[in-house]
Amino acid sequence: MSDRDIIIKVEDLKKYYNGGAIKALDGVSLEVKRGEVIVIIGPSGSGKSTFLRSLNLLETPTSGRILFDGSDITRKGININQYRQKMGMVFQHFNLFPHMTVMGNMTLAPIKLLKKTKAEAEEKAMELLERVNLAERANAYPSQLSGGQKQRIAIVRALCMEPEVMLFDEPTSALDPEMVGEVLDVMKILATGGMTMAVVTHEMGFAREVGDRVIFMDGGTIIEEGSPAEMFDSPKSDRLQSFLSKVL
Amino acid sequence: MGRLSPLELWPEVAPEWILNLPQWLEDIFYKFYKCIIFDDRYTLYFTGLRNTLILTFLALLLGIALGVVVALIRVTWDKNGAEMRGVPKVVVGFLNSVSKLYLTVIRGTPVVVQLLILYFVIFAASRNKILVGALSFGINSGAYVAEIIRSGIMSIDSGQMEAGRSLGFGYVATMRHIILPQAFKNVLPTLANEFIVLLKETAVAGYVSLQDVTYAGNIIGGNAYDYLFPLLIAAAIYLILVLFFTFLVGKLERRLRNSER
C-alpha cells in the first residue's frame, strides 16, 4: 500500500482535560485509505466522538499528529479552514442554520468559500437535493422539516463543498426510529459511490453492512479493529465481547 | 417701538369668531397662539425635533457599532480565552479587560454626568454640541447594547459555530454569516427597548444647551410664562416618535420571524 492511498493518518493522538486528569484520547493511531468506510463503535465516554471531532480539529489534540493527504494539520500556523473544506462533517443534532432556507444552508459556504456564483451553487445544491429526494423542500426553513429530512439536508450541505472525506458524528442518534432508515440509506449511497467516510454510530447493522473496517474504542484507546465479520462474529477482546452482548 | 406682547397682539390676530367664544375656550386658543404661532415659536419645536433625531440616530449607530465590538470581544474571550496562546491571548485578554472597565464605568455612572464630563472637560474646546452629545449618548448606549448582544450570542447553540467551522468558515466569518444574524433576531425586542430608552434619554441634552425637543418646550414655556402647552407638545413628540419606532421594529421582527414556524 503506497502512501498515496492514505488520506488520513493519525499518529499517537492524545486529548487530555484538566491537565491530564481526564484522558479523553490516550494515544490513538489510525490510517484511513481513500474510499474506505471506517465505522467507530464503543460505549459512551469511550472517546469515539472526541476522536472524530479531532480529525477536523473541532477538538484541539493535546499531542500527536494528524496527516491529511500527507500534510500535518496539527502543526502551528496552518490554515485549518482550508482543510476543513475537504472534510465534510455531519452532527448528531444536524446543526442546520435556522435563519436560512434549505437552499441558503447549502449555498452559503460554496458561494463565500469556493467563490461559486449563486447560480452555480444552486444548480449543484439542486442536483444533490434531487439525489436525496428533497428537491421540493429547497425553500423550506429547517424548522419545517422532520428530523430525518434535516439530517439528509445536513449531509448534502456538507457535500456541496465537494469534500474528500465525510465525518459522521452519531448521525442517527437524535432521530425517531422510523427516520433512521432514510438517513442510513443516503449514507449507504455515499459509501457505494466511493466516498471516504468515518462514522461514529450505534447502528450495528449499518456498521456490518457498509463498513470496510470497524474500530472499537474504549477508555480513549482503540481496543480492537478489523473487518465487520471479524469484529461482530469473532470478537477477540473481552471488552468488545461484553459491549456487543449489550448492544446486539 | 418695543415689541408687542402676545396679549397685546391677540385682539388683532384672532379671528372674530374666536373672540366671541366663551372665555375659557378663547383662553385655550390664546395659549395655543402664544406657545406656537407667536414669534414663530413652532420653529423651535422643529429645530428640537431635528436635533433630537440626529442625536438619537448618530448615538444609535455608534452604540450598535461599539456594542457589537465589545460583545464580540467578551464572547471570544469567555469562550476561547482558555485555549488561546501567545500574542492573540495577550491582545484579546487586554481588549477584554478594557471592555469590562468600559462596561463598569459607563453603566455605573449617570448619563448626564458622562455628558457634562465629555462636553465641559474632555471636549471643552469643541462647541459642536450635536457631535459631542451623540458621542456621549452613543458611548453610553454601547455599554447596554454590548450586554444585550452578548446575551444574544451566548443563547445560540454551540453547534452553530461548529457547523460553520466544519464547512471551512473562519471564526469571524462564522460569527458574521451564522451567529450574529441569529443573535440579532433573538435580541431585537430588547434592542428596540434600548433604542426607545436612548431616544428618551437624549432629553437631558439640554444640560449642555443642546436645542432638542425638551429644550424647545422648556424655552418656550419660559418665554410664554406658561409651561402646559409647550411641555405637552414636547411629550407628544416623543410619544409619536416612540410609537413610530415601535411600529417599524414590529414590522422588521415579523419579517425576521419568517424562518420560524
Side-chain angles (χ1 to χ4, degrees):
Chain A
M1 188 173 68
S2 80
D3 270 5
R4 290 269 313 134
D5 294 331
I6 296 171
I7 186 147
I8 296 176
K9 184 171 182 177
V10 181
E11 295 173 353
D12 198 27
L13 201 66
K14 292 181 179 164
K15 173 73 180 177
Y16 293 169
Y17 293 103
N18 299 342
I22 300 165
K23 294 176 177 167
L25 292 178
D26 200 10
V28 177
S29 300
L30 184 73
E31 288 182 355
V32 182
K33 283 177 281 181
R34 279 180 207 280
E36 198 178 16
V37 178
I38 301 272
V39 180
I40 304 164
I41 59 173
S44 65
S46 60
K48 55 192 193 306
S49 273
T50 308
F51 175 64
L52 191 82
R53 291 159 51 81
S54 298
L55 293 180
N56 66 354
L57 298 194
L58 281 185
E59 300 284 351
T60 318
T62 310
S63 70
R65 292 206 308 166
I66 300 167
L67 302 172
F68 183 85
D69 216 358
S71 355
D72 181 0
I73 60 171
T74 47
R75 76 172 187 273
K76 257 192 167 169
I78 196 166
N79 179 10
I80 185 60
N81 299 332
Q82 193 187 322
Y83 289 92
R84 283 188 180 136
Q85 291 181 19
K86 299 176 187 166
M87 286 189 267
M89 184 150 193
V90 175
F91 300 87
Q92 182 177 358
H93 296 288
F94 330 127
N95 296 349
L96 294 179
F97 308 136
H99 61 304
M100 293 177 182
T101 61
V102 166
M103 191 50 94
N105 267 275
M106 293 178 70
T107 55
L108 180 71
I111 291 173
K112 302 283 180 201
L113 298 174
L114 301 181
K115 306 294 173 202
K116 286 190 177 187
T117 65
K118 193 161 182 273
E120 282 169 351
E122 288 187 347
E123 192 188 325
K124 170 84 181 167
M126 214 54 206
E127 186 191 308
L128 285 164
L129 281 175
E130 272 158 22
R131 267 169 52 188
V132 294
N133 293 323
L134 285 170
E136 78 282 6
R137 306 314 309 268
N139 294 315
Y141 282 92
S143 58
Q144 299 164 324
L145 303 174
S146 72
Q149 289 175 332
K150 281 182 198 168
Q151 197 58 299
R152 280 144 70 199
I153 298 294
I155 294 172
V156 288
R157 177 178 72 179
L159 290 176
C160 279
M161 292 299 284
E162 296 167 29
E164 294 173 34
V165 177
M166 284 287 283
L167 311 174
F168 293 85
D169 188 6
E170 304 199 20
T172 57
S173 298
L175 294 176
D176 289 340
E178 78 267 25
M179 291 172 179
V180 170
E182 63 191 63
V183 171
L184 292 181
D185 284 344
V186 171
M187 292 168 63
K188 272 179 215 165
I189 294 169
L190 258 185
T192 320
M195 176 62 79
T196 311
M197 292 163 62
V199 186
V200 169
T201 187
H202 295 292
E203 297 292 330
M204 296 303 149
F206 176 84
R208 185 190 279 268
E209 187 186 342
V210 183
D212 293 317
R213 189 147 49 109
V214 177
I215 314 280
F216 173 66
M217 286 185 71
D218 196 11
T221 55
I222 295 178
I223 305 291
E224 194 172 337
E225 61 175 288
S227 70
E230 291 166 2
M231 296 288 281
F232 290 112
D233 300 333
S234 49
K236 294 183 200 72
S237 64
D238 295 343
R239 275 196 271 183
L240 179 54
Q241 283 168 12
S242 90
F243 175 73
L244 289 176
S245 70
K246 282 175 206 150
V247 296
L248 286 181
Chain B
M1 186 188 91
R3 284 176 58 205
L4 291 171
S5 73
L7 191 61
E8 289 165 318
L9 273 170
W10 180 241
E12 293 169 36
V13 296
E16 196 66 25
W17 63 272
I18 291 183
L19 293 173
N20 293 334
L21 288 169
Q23 188 60 46
W24 65 273
L25 250 178
E26 190 199 326
D27 266 1
I28 292 178
F29 279 101
Y30 169 65
K31 284 185 172 182
F32 188 79
Y33 165 75
K34 188 171 65 171
C35 298
I36 293 180
I37 298 168
F38 174 71
D39 209 14
D40 287 343
R41 281 178 175 158
Y42 63 89
T43 56
L44 269 178
Y45 296 111
F46 282 117
T47 313
L49 178 62
R50 197 196 65 199
N51 286 344
T52 291
L53 285 178
I54 294 175
L55 193 58
T56 308
F57 180 69
L58 291 179
L60 188 77
L61 292 186
L62 180 60
I64 293 179
L66 259 177
V68 169
V69 170
V70 170
L72 284 176
I73 291 170
R74 300 262 289 122
V75 167
T76 303
W77 179 254
D78 283 354
K79 287 200 170 170
N80 306 321
E83 288 170 22
M84 286 182 178
R85 303 268 174 277
V87 178
K89 188 176 181 110
V90 174
V91 172
V92 179
F94 173 74
L95 290 175
N96 182 58
S97 303
V98 172
S99 301
K100 276 172 115 165
L101 181 70
Y102 161 72
L103 293 176
T104 309
V105 171
I106 294 299
R107 294 198 300 170
T109 55
V111 65
V112 187
V113 178
Q114 293 164 17
L115 175 69
L116 293 175
I117 290 175
L118 231 59
Y119 185 71
F120 288 117
V121 182
I122 298 176
F123 292 104
S126 165
R127 291 300 97 180
N128 193 333
K129 290 171 185 165
I130 300 266
L131 271 189
V132 176
L135 199 61
S136 181
F137 290 111
I139 290 173
N140 182 269
S141 181
Y144 295 92
V145 171
E147 289 299 90
I148 293 169
I149 291 183
R150 188 168 76 93
S151 78
I153 295 173
M154 298 300 256
S155 75
I156 305 296
D157 183 74
S158 59
Q160 293 289 311
M161 176 55 86
E162 289 185 352
R165 299 306 305 270
S166 80
L167 285 168
F169 283 109
Y171 179 82
V172 175
T174 310
M175 271 290 173
R176 183 172 149 223
H177 297 299
I178 296 160
I179 310 290
L180 280 179
Q182 296 182 58
F184 258 112
K185 193 173 83 174
N186 290 350
V187 300
L188 197 64
T190 326
L191 269 184
N193 192 49
E194 163 58 25
F195 298 154
I196 287 170
V197 170
L198 170 66
L199 171 71
K200 293 183 296 179
E201 230 166 38
T202 60
V204 300
Y207 268 86
V208 296
S209 308
L210 196 160
Q211 300 188 9
D212 70 335
V213 171
T214 310
Y215 187 85
N218 202 10
I219 288 294
I220 295 169
N223 288 347
Y225 306 111
D226 184 351
Y227 281 92
L228 179 67
F229 263 100
L231 292 183
L232 279 184
I233 289 170
I237 291 174
Y238 283 112
L239 185 62
I240 290 167
L241 287 178
V242 168
L243 288 177
F244 178 65
F245 195 70
T246 311
F247 164 76
L248 282 188
V249 171
K251 263 186 105 109
L252 183 61
E253 226 177 292
R254 273 192 297 282
R255 264 187 57 185
L256 291 175
R257 293 266 162 236
N258 271 346
S259 57
E260 278 162 33
R261 201 257 45 81

